[in-house]
DNA sequence: GAGGGTAACGCAAACGTTGTCGTGTTGAAA
DNA sequence: TTTCAACACGACAACGTTTGCGTTACCCTC
């Protein structure tokens, strides 16, 4: 087993100083050609690579981005990571991933952990608990320490930082508008509880779309789901009592669940009921019928977030101007909406 | 903006030496109670946290695990990461994720990148290209440098290290056996090309199951898919010409694609055709009909891999004894197999 | 031969931490 | 009064790098 070779070892072997070795490898004009060649050859032979940790300590830069997200077994978050990783990689950055599992405490612990030197900045999406508690001191803190933070998807306006989101309200509006244009009169909504920021915004979009078309907004047509495990009865009740001709669901899971329940109740999709979901993930593509959905490009979102963070990291002067970037969405039409 | 406080700053403020501060915070008996309390109070006030990078450099341990996988937008890999992250976190480790995108070169670059001080060890699953080229010098190299590697799922026997896999062959055997027990006589196989290790093993399991039941193994009943985009014609041909009464697919995507194509051709699932997939992911759960599948617990797999790596990292003496651990699988029966 | 210029290299500091060892002061025992 | 232990703390090295600056030795010029 041959351990990693260091400048010191090369210096000793070649009987020169450490500085000479370092300068030779960085091709400094201070060093004679002879020595440079000798050192470079030796370094190549022993496959010398500068130690990242030592560099990080010296430069006070880790070239590492911390990602903190609620969960990773989730198509959208996975695509965002993928987008981040790609841009990060192109810029010589690594990504270190921490999961909050929707827990406020874990989010705090993870941030503090990574903030003590491990990363140069953060890209994060808030956990449900954090959104509920509205406690963002851990985020304020790292920002105060000079570490840039970029928030995406589940954000808060209470923290000043760069953000990347989709225009949830507008996307929802357009989805509902699409349904109304198809002459559906009883469009129901299956959404999350209000403290989930994106759920709230999509709900708002739904309401606005109905209002703008002078359609009634009935509370009974809106199902707010807290826990996916126990949502069946609520949706069944909706289908049974309100007999909607279309459903807008604020995520894939709600959409596919609605379809499954409807099918079980003898309601055909899309003949008797049209359904639009949100997030163009695996489920929408592969379920039967495949689901018409609002596509939010996670790769692009992650990529933009990473680029914003890196831009800020590599800007030497502080820039107090924060921006919120909107990633465009579009409706992917599939089988779950009738074509009439 | 208050930057992170260091030992040096505390020392200066309190007019003591750096060593005294360090020792006070680590509660050394060398230091008087008075001084300790004073320092600790000050440190708490300024929220002192030891710098991870400096610690890593000093201890030659980063408390970080490198994960290299082909892709992350993939349910199984996401669950494995989730499992790794959990165990890592419990043991005070962070995970840094790199994606090879199935590319050999990227896999090599990522490994070399992380190997120069960034991580203590690796957990990885080989890229397709690497499996095809059978070039593992980058892995051998980091092992030679004393960094432990744990491989999972897509492994190779050409490298000596710890491994975590499922018994692909046995799992496939049992799935096919299950079909045969249901009196299906024409069980087809939709699999990958042979160089994908798990595909090959699952193919072997299929073949063995048929042989053991004295059923013929026909080449025409086996479809090997290289590229998911252009697989439709092959599967359609199989369905049309061979009219199988059951299909065993070596992954979710192949299973759901087969079902979709069959349905389009008027073949009802499960009435006319039973289908079993592999990997219990989102697709199997939510497609219609939901898919009977071999469940491989990614969380458990990742957890075991992480534990094996950490055990080896925290063992001071070298242990040349490598183990390959099998994670049990089980068949999840759903709607895509007829119950007769 | 004295002075100055220059090529080629080494020293040392710095990043933040830990731990070994050395050092000064105090008090008590001989 | 001397000696010695205990106590409380500081100096320093080390981890691996980079870099500004100091230090040689040599050669050229006048």
């Amino acid at each position: 087993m041959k351990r990693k070779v260091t400048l010191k070892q090369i210096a000793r072997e070649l009987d020169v100083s450490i500085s000479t070795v370092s300068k030779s490898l960085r091709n400094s004009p201070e060093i004679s050609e002879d020595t440079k060649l000798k050192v470079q050859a030796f370094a190549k032979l022993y496959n010398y690579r500068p130690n990242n940790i030592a560099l990080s300590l010296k430069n006070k830069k880790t070239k590492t981005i911390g990602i903190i997200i609620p969960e990773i077994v989730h198509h959208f978050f996975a695509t965002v990571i993928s987008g981040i990783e790609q841009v990060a990689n192109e810029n010589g950055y690594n990504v270190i991933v921490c999961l909050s599992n929707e827990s406020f405490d874990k989010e705090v612990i993870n941030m503090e952990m990574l903030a003590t030197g491990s990363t140069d900045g953060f890209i994060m999406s808030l956990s449900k608990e954090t959104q509920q508690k509205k406690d963002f001191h851990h985020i304020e803190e790292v920002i105060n320490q000079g570490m840039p933070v970029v928030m995406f998807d589940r954000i808060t306006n209470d923290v000043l930082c760069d953000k990347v989101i989709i225009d949830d309200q507008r996307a929802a509006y357009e989805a509902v508008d699409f349904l109304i244009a198809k002459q559906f009169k009883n469009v129901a909504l299956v959404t999350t509880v209000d403290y989930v920021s994106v759920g709230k915004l999509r709900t708002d979009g739904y309401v606005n779309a109905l209002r703008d078309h002078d359609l009634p907004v009935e509370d009974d047509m809106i199902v707010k789901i807290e826990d996916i495990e126990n949502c069946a009865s609520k949706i069944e009740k909706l289908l049974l009592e309100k007999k909607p001709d279309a459903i807008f669901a604020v995520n894939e899971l709600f959409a596919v669940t609605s379809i499954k329940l409807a099918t079980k109740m003898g309601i055909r999709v899309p003949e008797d009921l049209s359904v639009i979901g949100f997030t163009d993930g695996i489920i929408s593509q592969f379920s039967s019928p495949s689901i018409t959905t609002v596509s939010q490009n996670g790769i692009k979102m992650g990529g933009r977030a990473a680029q914003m963070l890196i831009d800020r990291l590599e800007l030497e002067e502080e820039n107090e101007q924060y921006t919120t970037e909107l990633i465009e969405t579009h409706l992917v039409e599939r089988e779950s909406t009738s074509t009439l």
Side-chain angles (χ1 to χ4, degrees), chain A residues 320-333:
Chain A
E320 291 292 332
Q321 210 59 38
Y322 295 111
T323 68
T324 296
E325 203 152 315
L326 290 178
I327 302 292
E328 66 274 21
T329 60
H330 64 277
L331 204 65
V332 180
E333 222 176 322

Side-chain angles (χ1 to χ4, degrees), chain A residues 73-88:
Chain A
V73 187
H74 188 297
H75 185 263
F76 172 66
F77 283 126
T79 57
V80 173
I81 294 186
S82 193
I84 295 174
E85 206 267 351
Q86 192 180 325
V87 171

Side-chain angles (χ1 to χ4, degrees), chain A residues 36-103:
Chain A
K36 275 199 261 191
L37 286 177
K38 195 174 59 178
V39 172
Q40 285 166 4
F42 193 92
K44 185 159 195 179
L45 180 63
Y46 281 88
N47 199 25
Y48 170 79
R49 296 268 182 282
N51 183 303
N52 283 332
I53 298 291
L55 285 179
S56 297
L57 184 58
K58 179 135 190 53
N59 302 333
K60 290 167 154 274
K61 290 198 178 162
T62 61
K63 286 284 207 170
T64 301
I65 295 174
I67 302 180
I68 300 183
I69 51 174
E71 47 176 333
I72 199 172
V73 187
H74 188 297
H75 185 263
F76 172 66
F77 283 126
T79 57
V80 173
I81 294 186
S82 193
I84 295 174
E85 206 267 351
Q86 192 180 325
V87 171
N89 228 274
E90 287 165 4
N91 289 271
Y93 283 77
N94 280 320
V95 301
I96 169 163
V97 176
C98 285
L99 310 180
S100 65
N101 287 324
E102 304 287 10
S103 146

Side-chain angles (χ1 to χ4, degrees), chain A residues 19-35:
Chain A
S19 342
T20 304
V21 177
S22 175
K23 287 170 185 168
S24 297
L25 294 176
R26 324 203 96 245
N27 231 324
S28 158
E30 264 187 277
I31 307 297
S32 72
E33 282 304 317
D34 273 9
T35 312

Side-chain angles (χ1 to χ4, degrees), chain A residues 8 56 66 109 111 116 170 201 204 213 269:
Chain A
K8 191 191 283 190
S56 297
I109 290 173
M111 281 210 93
T116 62
R170 177 151 163 258
L201 289 169
D204 291 347
H213 288 86
V269 177

Side-chain angles (χ1 to χ4, degrees), chain A residues 265-283:
Chain A
M265 293 167 69
I267 303 170
R268 293 167 304 163
V269 177
E271 292 82 354
D272 308 329
L273 174 71
S274 286
V275 176
I276 292 187
F278 214 110
T279 305
D280 187 21
I282 301 286
I283 297 179

